[in-house]
Amino acid sequence: MAELSPPKAPSFIDLTFEEVAALPTDTVAVLPLGAIEQHGAHLPVSTDYLVATSVAEAAVATVAAAGSASVVLLPGLAYTKSDEHHWAPGTIWLSWETLMNTLIDIGRSLANTPVKRIMFINGHGGNSALGQVACRELHRRFGLMTFFAHPSFPKDQGGVDGVDTENGFGVHGGHSETSMVLHLRPDLVHMDRATRQVPDAMAEYKYIGFGKPVSFGWTSDDFGPGGVIGDPTGATADIGKILVEGAVERCAAAITEASHFTIG
Amino acid sequence: MAELSPPKAPSFIDLTFEEVAALPTDTVAVLPLGAIEQHGAHLPVSTDYLVATSVAEAAVATVAAAGSASVVLLPGLAYTKSDEHHWAPGTIWLSWETLMNTLIDIGRSLANTPVKRIMFINGHGGNSALGQVACRELHRRFGLMTFFAHPSFPKDQGGVDGVDTENGFGVHGGHSETSMVLHLRPDLVHMDRATRQVPDAMAEYKYIGFGKPVSFGWTSDDFGPGGVIGDPTGATADIGKILVEGAVERCAAAITEASHFTIG
Amino acid sequence: MAELSPPKAPSFIDLTFEEVAALPTDTVAVLPLGAIEQHGAHLPVSTDYLVATSVAEAAVATVAAAGSASVVLLPGLAYTKSDEHHWAPGTIWLSWETLMNTLIDIGRSLANTPVKRIMFINGHGGNSALGQVACRELHRRFGLMTFFAHPSFPKDQGGVDGVDTENGFGVHGGHSETSMVLHLRPDLVHMDRATRQVPDAMAEYKYIGFGKPVSFGWTSDDFGPGGVIGDPTGATADIGKILVEGAVERCAAAITEASHFTIG
Amino acid sequence: MAELSPPKAPSFIDLTFEEVAALPTDTVAVLPLGAIEQHGAHLPVSTDYLVATSVAEAAVATVAAAGSASVVLLPGLAYTKSDEHHWAPGTIWLSWETLMNTLIDIGRSLANTPVKRIMFINGHGGNSALGQVACRELHRRFGLMTFFAHPSFPKDQGGVDGVDTENGFGVHGGHSETSMVLHLRPDLVHMDRATRQVPDAMAEYKYIGFGKPVSFGWTSDDFGPGGVIGDPTGATADIGKILVEGAVERCAAAITEASHFTIG
Amino acid sequence: MAELSPPKAPSFIDLTFEEVAALPTDTVAVLPLGAIEQHGAHLPVSTDYLVATSVAEAAVATVAAAGSASVVLLPGLAYTKSDEHHWAPGTIWLSWETLMNTLIDIGRSLANTPVKRIMFINGHGGNSALGQVACRELHRRFGLMTFFAHPSFPKDQGGVDGVDTENGFGVHGGHSETSMVLHLRPDLVHMDRATRQVPDAMAEYKYIGFGKPVSFGWTSDDFGPGGVIGDPTGATADIGKILVEGAVERCAAAITEASHFTIG
Amino acid sequence: MAELSPPKAPSFIDLTFEEVAALPTDTVAVLPLGAIEQHGAHLPVSTDYLVATSVAEAAVATVAAAGSASVVLLPGLAYTKSDEHHWAPGTIWLSWETLMNTLIDIGRSLANTPVKRIMFINGHGGNSALGQVACRELHRRFGLMTFFAHPSFPKDQGGVDGVDTENGFGVHGGHSETSMVLHLRPDLVHMDRATRQVPDAMAEYKYIGFGKPVSFGWTSDDFGPGGVIGDPTGATADIGKILVEGAVERCAAAITEASHFTIG
C-alpha cells in the first residue's frame, strides 16, 4: 500500500498542543469513519474501517504533498453505527445516540483550536444519515464548517456502481468493496467463501428500494444469512486499485475545495 | 382542495381501540412529517406541514378509494427537526434527540397493534437524514416495516427540480414549494414579497454542494437574511397543481407497494 | 361544528416568520394537548385530541372575534403521555422524558419570538402532572409566562362532574367525555358498545383515591378490560354541547386573563 | 419531639438483606420527600425535609404501635425538585430528570424485595406533580402499588388552609409551615425576621392562580425578594402542634389503608 | 455514640438562605455518601450509610469545636451506586448515570452559595470511582474545590486493613466494617449469623485482584450467596471504636486541610 | 518499534464474522484506551494513545507467540475522557457520559460473540475511574469478565515512579511518559521545550494529594500554563525502553492470567 500512504500524511496527533494552536485557520481536519461489522464470509469485519482510513490517509498525504491546502489527519473512528448488522458476532456497534454524542464531543473539542473545518471520510453507508445530522449540529452549535464524503463516488462523477450481476444491489460486501480489500489487504480476503446474495426480487419494486424514491428500514439479516448484499464473486485487486486510487484522488480534490469553501 | 381530500381518507384515530386491534396485518399507517419553520418573507411557517399533510391525506384517500391496500392516516407531526432555521422567529424545532425519541415512541406504540408497516411522508428536507436513522431503529427494535417518502420525487421519476433561474438550488421556499402552496392555500402566499436568493457562487464547486458527492453542514442564515434558497418569483398555482397531484399519485402508488413489500 | 370553529381563529402557522416577529409581546399562544389512546369500546382513540383541539380552536376564535386579547393558535400535540393506556392497541404514547423534552423544545423556540405567553389546553388528564413540571421549566429557563388549562372545569366553577351513576369516578370515557364527542363527532361514537365500568368498591376508601388526599399510581387495565372508568351509558349530545360551549367560554376568558396576568 | 418519634418506627435500613427478603408482601414502605430550599428569612432551608421526615417517622411509628399494618420507614430524600427556588443560596435542587430517575431507581430496587407498596410522604409542593408522574411510572414498569401523600391535607379533610391574612396564598413559608417548624424545631425559627409577602393583587384573577382552574409556571422570586409566599407573622407552636399531630394521625391512617388498597 | 456526635456539628440545612449567603468563602461543606445495600447475614443494609454519616458528623463537630476551619454538614445520600449488590433484596441502588447527575445537581446548587469547597465522606467503596469522576466534573464545570475522603484510611496512614484471616480480602461486611457497626449500633449486629467468606483462591493471582495492578469487574454474588467478602467473625466493638475514632480524627484533620488547600 | 510489534499480534478485526463466531470462549479481547490531549510543550497530543496501543499490541503479540492464551487485539479508542485538559487546543475529549456509553455499546456487542473476557489497557489516568465503573457495568449487564490494566505498574510490582526531582508528582508529561515516547517515537519529542512543572508546595499537605488518602478534583491548568505535571527534563530513551518492555511483559502476563481468572 506504499502508493497510498506516502510518509507525509500530516497527523494532528503528532503535534504538541501549542503546534495545534498555531495551525492555520483554513486547515481541514480529516476524520475517517469506519465500521467494525460483518462483511460476509469472505471479508474481514474491518472492511469499512480499512477502506476509510486507507483512503483518508492517502488523500491527506496527496494534499499535503501538493501543498494545495493545509490539512491534518485525525485518528479514525473504528466503532460506529452498524446497527443493521447487530445480529452478527464481530459487529461492534454504537447506538445512534452514542455515535452522535461522540461526534458532538469531537466537534466541541475541535472548536477550541484554530481548525474550523472538518471533513468526515466515511467508509460505512450506515453512518451516512447520522453523519448528515451531525454535520448540521456541529455547524450550528460550534460554528464549524463540516463536510461529509465517501470513498465511493456516484458513477457520473467517476464512481463505480458495481457489476451487472449485482442488479444494482452492490451494497455490502459486493463487487466494489471486495475489490478494494483485495487491493489493500489481499491477505484478509477469502475469495473461496465469496458468494452472491442479491435480492433480485426487489428490483421489481418501482418506488421502494436502494436508490429509489422511497427508502426503507432494513437490517442485513433480512437478505439472508450470508451477510452480503451484492455479488463479490468477480471482484479483483485490479478493479480495487482503480477504485481506491480514484477515491483518493477525488477525496484529495474535495479536501482542497473544502479548505476555501464558502456557503452562500 | 376538494380534489385532493376526498372524504374517505381512513383515519387511524377515528377508530376505537378494538377496531385498531382488528386492522389487517398488511395495513400501512401513513404519518406525515411537516415542519413549522421560516420559509422566507412570502410563505407561511406552515409550508412543509401543509404540503406533507395535504399530500398524505389525499394519497391515503386515493389508495382507500381504489381499494388497492389497507391504509390508515395518522396525525402528522407539525414540530420536527428544523434546526437549520433555528435563528428565525416562527421556527419551532425539536432537537435531533427529541425527534428521534418521538419517532421511537410512536414505533413502539404501533408495534402493539396489528399494523406493522409505517410510511412517513416527509415535507421537510431537514428530517430526511434523521428519518433514515429512525426507520432502521424501528425496524430493528420493533420489527416494523418502515418507509420514508417525500412529496417531491426526483426528476427522472416524475419530479420537478425547479426552474433554471434556481441554478439547481431550489431547496427552500423556491419555485416548487411556492407553487405548491399557491395551489393549496393561495391565501397564505405573499408573492409581492417573494425574492430570489440563490447561492450562484456555490455552483462553481465541483465536489461540495447540494446533490454533489460531498455534503456540508449549513443553516439557512448562511445564505443571507431572506430565509429563501431558490427563486420563488416565477411560481404559479398551475405548476403547484401539477406538482401536488403528481406527488399524490406517486405516494399513493408507493403506499400500495409498501403494503406487500418484502425485503430480500 | 360551525358554532365552535368560526373561520377567524388566528393561526400562528399561517404567518410568515416576519409576521411572527411582529406579533405583540402580550400575545398568548394556545397549544392544545390531546392524546391518542384507548377510550373504551365506544369512543375513538382521538377523543382527547378532538376535544382539546376543538375547544382550543373555538376559544381562540372567540377571543380574536372579541378583540379582547392578541392570541394565536399553535398546532396541537396529538401524541402525548398516555402510559396508563399502554396496554391497548391504538394508544400511541410518548414517555415522560420525550414529552417533557418536546415541550421544552417548543418553549425554547417560542422564546425566540416576541410571544412570551403560552397556554396549554389539555384534553388528557395523564398530561396534567407533567404539564405542571413543564410550565415551571419553561418559565425558569426561558422566561415564558406559562399556563395550563383544561376543557373541563371544576364543578364549582361551571364544570360538570359526571352523573350519579359514576359514583365520582367519571375519569375516562365516561358520561362527560362521551357526551362531548357525541356533540362534536357523533359519527365516531358507538353508543351500543358503551358500558359502565365503575370501581364502586374504591369509594369506600377514605384517604386514597381520585380526588382524595392521597393519590395512587394506576394504569387503566387495573379497572378491568373495558378501558372505561365511568358510566357513558347516559351520555347525550345535548349535554356535550353544554359542556363544550362552557369550556370554550371559560377557556376564552382564561386566555384573555392570561394576556395581562402578572405574578406577584 | 418525643411525642412524634416513639422509638419503635421500624426502619427498613436497620434490617439485614435476609430480613428484608422475609418482609410480608403487604408491607408499606414509607419514603419521606423533603427539600432543601430557601424558606424566607425566618425559616431554615431544611423546613420541608424536617416536616416530611418528622411526620413520616411518627406516622410509621403510630402504625407499627397499633399493629394495623406492616410498615417500614425508608431514608428520606433531602434533595429534590426545588427549581422554583433555584435563585436562592441554600437551595439544593435536582432537575426534573434527576429526581425522576432517582425515584425510578428506588422503585426498581424495591421491586426486588417482597415489599410492593410504597408511599411517598412529601413535604415540598414542588415535588407533587413529578411525584404523580413517578407513581404511574413505578406502577407500570415494576408493578408496584404507589401512593403519594402530603403532611398537609385539604381543609375539608381536617387540613388547615392558613389564616385570613394570607388571602389564600399560604404557599411557602407562611402561617402553617412556620407553625409546624415552631413546634418541631423552635430553635431554628427567627420570628423577628418573619414578614408577610402575599400577592394580594393576584386574588383578583378569576381563572388563573393557586387553586384556580388554570395553573401557571412560577419561581418564588416572581413574588418579591423575601422568598415567602404567605404570612408567617401570626404563626405559633401551638398551631404547629395541632397541624403536625393531625398530619401524623391522617398519614398513619392512610398507610394502614394503603396496606390493603386494591384498584378496581 | 455521644462521643461521636457532640451537639455542635454545624448543619447547612439549619440555616436560613440568608445565613447560607453569609457563610465564609473558605467554608468546607461535608457531604456523607452512604449506601443502602446488603451487608451479609449479620449486618444491616444501612451499614455504609451509618458509618459515613456517623464519622462525618463527628468530624464536622470536631472541626467546629476546635475552630480550625469553617465547616458545615450537608444531609448525606443514603441511596448511591450499589450495583454490585443489585441481586440482593434490600439493596437500593442508583445507576451510575443517576448518581452522577445527582452529584452534578448538588454541585451546581452549591456553586450558587459562597461555599466553594465540598468534601464527600464516602462509606461505600462502590462509589469511589464515580466519585472521582464527579469531583473533576464539579471542579471543571462549577469551579468548586472538591475532595473525596473515606472513613477508612490506608494502613500506613493509620488505617486498619483487617485481620489475617481475611487474607487481604476484607472488602465487604468483614472484620473492620463489622467492628465499626458493633461500636456504633451494636443492636443492629447479629454476630451469631456472621460467617467468613473469603475468596482464598484469588490470592494466588499475581496481577489481577483487589489492590493488585489489574482491577476487575465484579458483583458480590460472584463470591458466594452470603454477601460477605471478608471475615467478620472476630470483630469487636473495641476494635470498632478505635477505627471510628481514628476515622473521625483523620477526617477532621482533612477537613481543616481542605479549607486552605490550594492546587499547584 | 520492531521489537514491540512482532507481526503476529492477532487482530479481532482481521477476522470474518464467522471466524469471530468460532473463537474460543476463554479468549481475551484487549482494547487499548488512549487519549488525545495536551502533554506539555514537548510531547505530542497522541502520547497516551501511542503508549497504550504500542504496549497493548506488543503484549498481545507476546501472548500469541507464547501460546499461553487465546487473545485478540481490538482497535483502541483514541478519544476518551480528557476533561482535565479541556482548556488546551489539541485535546479532543469525550464527556463522562459519552465514554461510558461507548464502553457499554462495545461490551454489549462483544457479548454477542464467544469472547466473554475483555481487558482494557489504559494509557490515560483520567480514564481510570470511569473505567472501573464501566468494568462493573459490563460485568453486571452482559456477564463479561472485565479487566482494567495500565502500562505503568506500581513500583513494588516492577513499576517506576519517576525521579526524585518530581517530588512524587510525575503525573502528566513527566519523566516516565517522556522517556517512553523518546523510546517509541523519538521524532515526536521536543526535549528543548521540556520544562519542569512540579507543585512542590502540595507536598506539604498531609491528607490531600496524589496518592494520599483524600483525592481532589483538578484540571491541568490548575498547575500552571505549561500543561506538564512532573519533570521531563531528565528523560531518556533508555529509561523509556525499560519502562515499555516492562509494561509489555507484565501486560502479557496479566492477559494470560485473565484468560483463566475466576472470581471467588
Side-chain angles (χ1 to χ4, degrees):
Chain A
M1 233 174 65
E3 72 284 13
L4 288 180
S5 301
K8 300 298 180 201
S11 165
F12 181 94
I13 68 172
D14 282 355
L15 305 176
T16 67
F17 83 97
E18 293 172 341
E19 290 166 347
V20 169
L23 285 170
T25 56
D26 59 356
T27 300
V28 180
V30 174
L31 195 154
L33 293 177
I36 304 300
E37 62 182 34
Q38 75 81 14
H39 263 77
H42 66 297
L43 287 179
V45 294
S46 63
T47 294
D48 289 346
Y49 184 54
L50 172 67
V51 171
T53 52
S54 299
V55 168
E57 185 176 355
V60 169
T62 300
V63 171
S68 55
S70 176
V71 64
V72 287
L73 184 67
L74 285 163
L77 295 184
Y79 311 113
T80 56
K81 198 176 92 65
S82 302
D83 47 349
E84 72 268 42
H85 307 292
H86 73 99
W87 55 276
T91 298
I92 301 185
W93 60 285
L94 305 186
S95 73
W96 57 271
E97 209 163 4
T98 304
L99 179 56
M100 187 71 184
N101 283 321
T102 297
L103 298 177
I104 289 173
D105 284 358
I106 291 172
R108 189 237 309 117
S109 299
L110 205 63
N112 192 35
T113 76
V115 183
K116 304 300 184 198
R117 291 166 185 263
I118 183 167
M119 180 177 289
F120 299 100
I121 294 187
N122 173 41
H124 169 47
N127 289 332
S128 300
L130 198 71
Q132 306 295 323
V133 178
C135 279
R136 174 158 290 162
E137 186 82 0
L138 269 56
H139 180 66
R140 181 182 63 79
R141 285 177 58 173
F142 308 119
L144 298 178
M145 294 292 280
T146 51
F147 306 96
F148 203 82
H150 292 84
S152 53
F153 276 56
K155 199 184 235 170
D156 60 357
Q157 287 155 333
V160 172
D161 272 4
V163 286
D164 288 350
T165 58
E166 291 190 318
N167 209 357
F169 292 101
V171 166
H172 187 74
H175 184 72
S176 298
E177 250 177 5
T178 304
S179 295
M180 288 194 283
V181 184
L182 278 171
H183 169 60
L184 294 168
R185 287 290 305 273
D187 57 311
L188 299 181
V189 186
H190 308 270
M191 283 304 291
D192 54 318
R193 305 182 198 156
T195 54
R196 178 181 186 272
Q197 181 171 280
V198 172
D200 294 302
M202 286 180 61
E204 303 306 310
Y205 295 114
K206 183 169 175 192
Y207 296 99
I208 306 167
F210 300 119
K212 294 178 185 171
V214 178
S215 62
F216 65 104
W218 54 272
T219 53
S220 59
D221 51 350
D222 291 331
F223 297 90
V228 164
I229 312 172
D231 182 5
T233 55
T236 70
D238 286 346
I239 294 172
K241 185 168 189 290
I242 293 170
L243 291 172
V244 170
E245 288 177 357
V248 170
E249 185 185 347
R250 286 185 302 270
C251 283
I255 291 168
T256 301
E257 194 170 285
S259 72
H260 58 81
F261 180 81
T262 308
I263 306 178
Chain B
M1 233 174 66
E3 73 283 12
L4 288 179
S5 300
K8 298 299 176 200
S11 164
F12 182 94
I13 68 173
D14 282 355
L15 304 176
T16 68
F17 83 98
E18 293 172 341
E19 290 165 347
V20 168
L23 285 170
T25 56
D26 59 356
T27 301
V28 180
V30 173
L31 195 155
L33 293 177
I36 304 301
E37 62 181 34
Q38 75 81 14
H39 263 76
H42 66 298
L43 288 179
V45 294
S46 63
T47 296
D48 290 346
Y49 183 56
L50 172 66
V51 171
T53 52
S54 299
V55 169
E57 185 176 354
V60 168
T62 300
V63 172
S68 56
S70 176
V71 64
V72 286
L73 183 67
L74 285 164
L77 296 184
Y79 311 114
T80 56
K81 197 176 92 65
S82 301
D83 47 349
E84 72 267 43
H85 307 291
H86 72 99
W87 55 275
T91 298
I92 301 185
W93 59 286
L94 304 186
S95 73
W96 57 272
E97 210 163 4
T98 304
L99 179 56
M100 187 70 183
N101 284 321
T102 298
L103 297 178
I104 290 173
D105 284 359
I106 291 173
R108 189 236 310 117
S109 299
L110 204 64
N112 193 34
T113 76
V115 183
K116 304 301 184 196
R117 291 167 184 262
I118 182 167
M119 180 177 289
F120 300 100
I121 294 188
N122 173 42
H124 169 47
N127 289 332
S128 300
L130 198 70
Q132 306 295 324
V133 178
C135 279
R136 175 157 289 161
E137 187 83 0
L138 270 55
H139 180 67
R140 181 182 63 79
R141 284 177 59 174
F142 308 119
L144 297 178
M145 294 293 279
T146 52
F147 306 96
F148 203 82
H150 292 83
S152 53
F153 276 55
K155 199 183 236 170
D156 60 357
Q157 288 155 334
V160 172
D161 271 2
V163 286
D164 288 351
T165 59
E166 291 190 318
N167 209 358
F169 293 101
V171 167
H172 187 74
H175 184 73
S176 298
E177 251 177 4
T178 304
S179 295
M180 288 194 283
V181 184
L182 279 171
H183 170 60
L184 294 169
R185 287 290 305 272
D187 57 309
L188 299 180
V189 185
H190 309 270
M191 283 306 290
D192 55 319
R193 304 181 200 158
T195 54
R196 179 182 186 272
Q197 181 172 280
V198 172
D200 294 303
M202 286 180 61
E204 303 305 309
Y205 295 113
K206 184 170 174 190
Y207 296 99
I208 306 168
F210 298 120
K212 295 178 184 172
V214 179
S215 62
F216 65 104
W218 54 272
T219 53
S220 58
D221 50 351
D222 291 331
F223 297 90
V228 163
I229 311 172
D231 182 5
T233 55
T236 70
D238 286 347
I239 294 171
K241 185 168 189 291
I242 293 170
L243 291 172
V244 169
E245 288 178 355
V248 171
E249 184 185 348
R250 286 184 302 271
C251 283
I255 291 167
T256 301
E257 194 170 286
S259 72
H260 58 81
F261 180 81
T262 308
I263 306 178
Chain C
M1 233 173 65
E3 72 284 11
L4 287 178
S5 300
K8 299 298 176 199
S11 165
F12 182 94
I13 68 172
D14 282 354
L15 304 176
T16 68
F17 84 96
E18 293 172 342
E19 290 166 347
V20 169
L23 285 170
T25 57
D26 60 355
T27 301
V28 180
V30 173
L31 196 155
L33 293 177
I36 305 300
E37 63 181 34
Q38 74 82 13
H39 264 77
H42 66 298
L43 287 179
V45 293
S46 63
T47 294
D48 290 346
Y49 184 55
L50 173 67
V51 171
T53 53
S54 299
V55 168
E57 186 176 354
V60 168
T62 300
V63 172
S68 57
S70 175
V71 64
V72 286
L73 183 67
L74 284 164
L77 295 184
Y79 310 113
T80 56
K81 198 176 92 65
S82 301
D83 47 349
E84 73 267 42
H85 307 291
H86 73 99
W87 55 274
T91 297
I92 301 186
W93 61 286
L94 304 186
S95 74
W96 57 272
E97 210 164 4
T98 303
L99 180 56
M100 187 69 184
N101 283 320
T102 297
L103 298 177
I104 289 172
D105 284 358
I106 291 173
R108 188 236 310 117
S109 300
L110 205 64
N112 193 34
T113 76
V115 183
K116 304 299 183 198
R117 291 166 185 264
I118 183 167
M119 179 176 290
F120 299 100
I121 295 189
N122 174 41
H124 169 47
N127 290 331
S128 300
L130 198 70
Q132 306 296 323
V133 178
C135 279
R136 175 158 290 163
E137 186 82 0
L138 270 55
H139 180 67
R140 182 182 62 79
R141 285 177 59 173
F142 308 119
L144 298 177
M145 295 292 279
T146 51
F147 305 96
F148 203 83
H150 292 84
S152 52
F153 276 56
K155 199 184 233 168
D156 59 358
Q157 287 154 334
V160 172
D161 271 2
V163 285
D164 288 351
T165 59
E166 291 190 318
N167 209 357
F169 293 101
V171 166
H172 186 74
H175 184 73
S176 298
E177 250 178 4
T178 303
S179 296
M180 288 194 282
V181 184
L182 278 171
H183 169 60
L184 294 169
R185 287 291 303 274
D187 57 311
L188 299 180
V189 186
H190 308 270
M191 284 305 290
D192 55 318
R193 306 181 198 157
T195 53
R196 179 183 187 272
Q197 182 173 278
V198 173
D200 293 304
M202 286 179 62
E204 303 305 310
Y205 295 113
K206 182 169 176 192
Y207 295 100
I208 306 168
F210 300 119
K212 296 178 184 171
V214 179
S215 62
F216 65 104
W218 55 271
T219 53
S220 58
D221 51 350
D222 291 331
F223 297 89
V228 163
I229 312 172
D231 182 5
T233 55
T236 69
D238 285 348
I239 295 171
K241 184 168 190 291
I242 293 169
L243 291 172
V244 169
E245 288 177 356
V248 170
E249 184 184 348
R250 287 185 301 271
C251 283
I255 291 168
T256 301
E257 193 170 288
S259 71
H260 57 81
F261 179 81
T262 307
I263 306 177
Chain D
M1 233 173 65
E3 73 282 15
L4 287 179
S5 301
K8 299 298 178 201
S11 165
F12 181 94
I13 68 172
D14 283 354
L15 304 176
T16 68
F17 83 97
E18 293 172 341
E19 290 166 347
V20 168
L23 284 169
T25 57
D26 60 355
T27 301
V28 180
V30 173
L31 195 155
L33 294 177
I36 303 302
E37 63 181 35
Q38 76 81 13
H39 263 76
H42 66 298
L43 286 180
V45 294
S46 64
T47 295
D48 290 346
Y49 184 55
L50 172 66
V51 172
T53 52
S54 299
V55 169
E57 185 175 354
V60 169
T62 300
V63 171
S68 57
S70 175
V71 63
V72 286
L73 184 67
L74 285 164
L77 296 184
Y79 311 114
T80 56
K81 198 176 91 67
S82 301
D83 46 350
E84 73 268 40
H85 306 292
H86 72 99
W87 57 273
T91 298
I92 301 186
W93 60 286
L94 304 187
S95 73
W96 56 272
E97 210 164 4
T98 303
L99 179 55
M100 187 70 184
N101 283 320
T102 298
L103 297 178
I104 289 173
D105 285 358
I106 292 173
R108 188 238 308 120
S109 300
L110 205 63
N112 192 35
T113 75
V115 183
K116 305 299 184 198
R117 293 166 184 263
I118 182 167
M119 180 178 288
F120 300 100
I121 294 187
N122 174 42
H124 169 46
N127 290 332
S128 301
L130 198 70
Q132 306 295 324
V133 178
C135 280
R136 174 158 290 163
E137 187 82 359
L138 270 55
H139 181 66
R140 182 182 62 80
R141 285 177 58 174
F142 308 119
L144 298 177
M145 294 293 280
T146 51
F147 306 95
F148 203 82
H150 292 84
S152 52
F153 276 56
K155 198 183 237 170
D156 60 357
Q157 287 155 333
V160 172
D161 271 3
V163 285
D164 288 349
T165 59
E166 292 190 317
N167 209 357
F169 293 101
V171 167
H172 187 75
H175 185 72
S176 298
E177 249 177 6
T178 304
S179 295
M180 288 193 283
V181 184
L182 278 170
H183 170 60
L184 293 169
R185 287 289 304 274
D187 57 311
L188 300 180
V189 186
H190 308 270
M191 283 306 289
D192 54 319
R193 306 181 198 157
T195 54
R196 178 183 187 273
Q197 182 172 279
V198 173
D200 293 303
M202 286 179 62
E204 303 306 310
Y205 295 113
K206 182 169 175 192
Y207 296 99
I208 306 168
F210 299 119
K212 296 179 185 171
V214 180
S215 62
F216 65 104
W218 54 271
T219 53
S220 59
D221 51 351
D222 291 330
F223 297 89
V228 163
I229 312 171
D231 182 5
T233 55
T236 69
D238 285 347
I239 294 171
K241 185 169 190 290
I242 293 170
L243 291 172
V244 169
E245 289 178 354
V248 170
E249 184 185 349
R250 287 184 301 271
C251 284
I255 292 167
T256 302
E257 193 169 285
S259 72
H260 57 81
F261 179 81
T262 308
I263 306 177
Chain E
M1 233 174 66
E3 73 282 12
L4 288 178
S5 300
K8 299 298 177 202
S11 164
F12 181 94
I13 68 172
D14 282 355
L15 304 176
T16 68
F17 82 97
E18 293 172 341
E19 290 166 346
V20 168
L23 285 170
T25 56
D26 60 355
T27 301
V28 180
V30 173
L31 195 155
L33 294 177
I36 304 301
E37 62 181 34
Q38 75 80 15
H39 264 75
H42 66 298
L43 288 179
V45 293
S46 64
T47 295
D48 290 346
Y49 183 56
L50 171 67
V51 171
T53 52
S54 299
V55 168
E57 185 176 355
V60 168
T62 300
V63 171
S68 57
S70 175
V71 63
V72 286
L73 183 67
L74 285 165
L77 295 185
Y79 311 114
T80 56
K81 198 177 91 67
S82 301
D83 46 350
E84 73 267 41
H85 307 292
H86 73 98
W87 56 274
T91 297
I92 300 185
W93 60 285
L94 304 186
S95 74
W96 56 272
E97 209 163 4
T98 303
L99 179 56
M100 187 71 183
N101 284 320
T102 298
L103 298 177
I104 289 172
D105 284 358
I106 291 173
R108 187 238 310 119
S109 299
L110 205 64
N112 192 36
T113 76
V115 183
K116 305 300 185 197
R117 292 165 185 263
I118 182 167
M119 180 177 289
F120 299 100
I121 295 187
N122 173 42
H124 169 47
N127 289 332
S128 300
L130 198 70
Q132 307 295 323
V133 178
C135 279
R136 174 156 290 162
E137 186 82 0
L138 269 55
H139 180 66
R140 182 182 62 79
R141 284 177 58 174
F142 309 118
L144 297 177
M145 294 292 280
T146 51
F147 305 95
F148 203 82
H150 292 83
S152 52
F153 277 55
K155 197 183 236 168
D156 60 359
Q157 287 156 335
V160 172
D161 271 3
V163 285
D164 288 351
T165 59
E166 291 190 318
N167 208 359
F169 293 100
V171 166
H172 187 76
H175 184 73
S176 297
E177 249 177 5
T178 303
S179 295
M180 288 193 283
V181 184
L182 278 171
H183 169 61
L184 294 169
R185 287 292 303 274
D187 57 311
L188 300 180
V189 185
H190 307 270
M191 284 306 289
D192 54 319
R193 305 182 198 156
T195 54
R196 178 182 187 273
Q197 182 173 280
V198 172
D200 293 302
M202 286 180 62
E204 303 305 310
Y205 295 112
K206 183 170 175 190
Y207 296 99
I208 306 167
F210 299 120
K212 295 178 185 172
V214 179
S215 62
F216 65 103
W218 53 272
T219 52
S220 59
D221 51 351
D222 292 331
F223 297 89
V228 163
I229 312 172
D231 182 6
T233 55
T236 70
D238 286 347
I239 295 171
K241 184 168 191 290
I242 294 170
L243 291 171
V244 169
E245 289 178 355
V248 170
E249 184 184 348
R250 286 185 302 271
C251 282
I255 291 168
T256 302
E257 194 170 286
S259 72
H260 57 81
F261 180 81
T262 307
I263 306 177
Chain F
M1 235 173 65
E3 72 282 12
L4 287 178
S5 301
K8 299 298 177 200
S11 165
F12 181 94
I13 67 172
D14 282 354
L15 305 176
T16 67
F17 83 96
E18 293 172 341
E19 290 167 346
V20 168
L23 285 170
T25 56
D26 60 356
T27 301
V28 180
V30 173
L31 196 155
L33 293 177
I36 304 301
E37 63 180 34
Q38 75 81 14
H39 263 77
H42 66 299
L43 287 180
V45 294
S46 62
T47 294
D48 290 346
Y49 184 55
L50 173 66
V51 171
T53 53
S54 299
V55 168
E57 185 176 355
V60 168
T62 300
V63 171
S68 57
S70 175
V71 65
V72 286
L73 184 67
L74 284 164
L77 295 184
Y79 311 113
T80 57
K81 198 177 90 66
S82 301
D83 47 349
E84 72 267 42
H85 307 292
H86 72 99
W87 55 274
T91 298
I92 301 185
W93 60 286
L94 304 186
S95 73
W96 56 272
E97 209 164 4
T98 304
L99 179 55
M100 187 70 183
N101 283 320
T102 297
L103 298 177
I104 290 173
D105 284 357
I106 291 173
R108 188 237 309 119
S109 299
L110 205 64
N112 192 34
T113 75
V115 183
K116 305 300 184 198
R117 291 166 185 263
I118 183 167
M119 180 177 288
F120 299 100
I121 295 188
N122 173 42
H124 169 48
N127 290 331
S128 300
L130 198 71
Q132 306 295 324
V133 179
C135 280
R136 175 158 289 162
E137 187 82 359
L138 270 56
H139 180 66
R140 182 182 62 79
R141 284 177 59 174
F142 309 119
L144 297 177
M145 294 292 280
T146 52
F147 306 96
F148 204 83
H150 292 83
S152 52
F153 276 54
K155 199 183 235 169
D156 60 358
Q157 288 156 334
V160 172
D161 271 2
V163 286
D164 287 351
T165 59
E166 290 189 319
N167 209 357
F169 293 101
V171 166
H172 186 74
H175 184 73
S176 299
E177 249 177 5
T178 304
S179 295
M180 287 194 284
V181 184
L182 278 171
H183 170 60
L184 294 169
R185 287 291 304 273
D187 57 310
L188 299 180
V189 186
H190 308 270
M191 285 305 291
D192 54 318
R193 306 181 199 157
T195 54
R196 178 182 188 272
Q197 181 172 280
V198 172
D200 293 303
M202 286 180 61
E204 303 305 310
Y205 295 113
K206 184 170 174 191
Y207 296 99
I208 306 168
F210 299 120
K212 295 178 184 172
V214 179
S215 62
F216 64 104
W218 54 272
T219 54
S220 59
D221 51 351
D222 291 331
F223 297 89
V228 163
I229 312 172
D231 183 5
T233 56
T236 70
D238 286 348
I239 295 171
K241 185 169 189 290
I242 294 170
L243 291 172
V244 170
E245 289 177 357
V248 170
E249 185 184 347
R250 286 185 302 271
C251 282
I255 291 168
T256 301
E257 194 170 286
S259 72
H260 57 80
F261 180 81
T262 307
I263 306 177

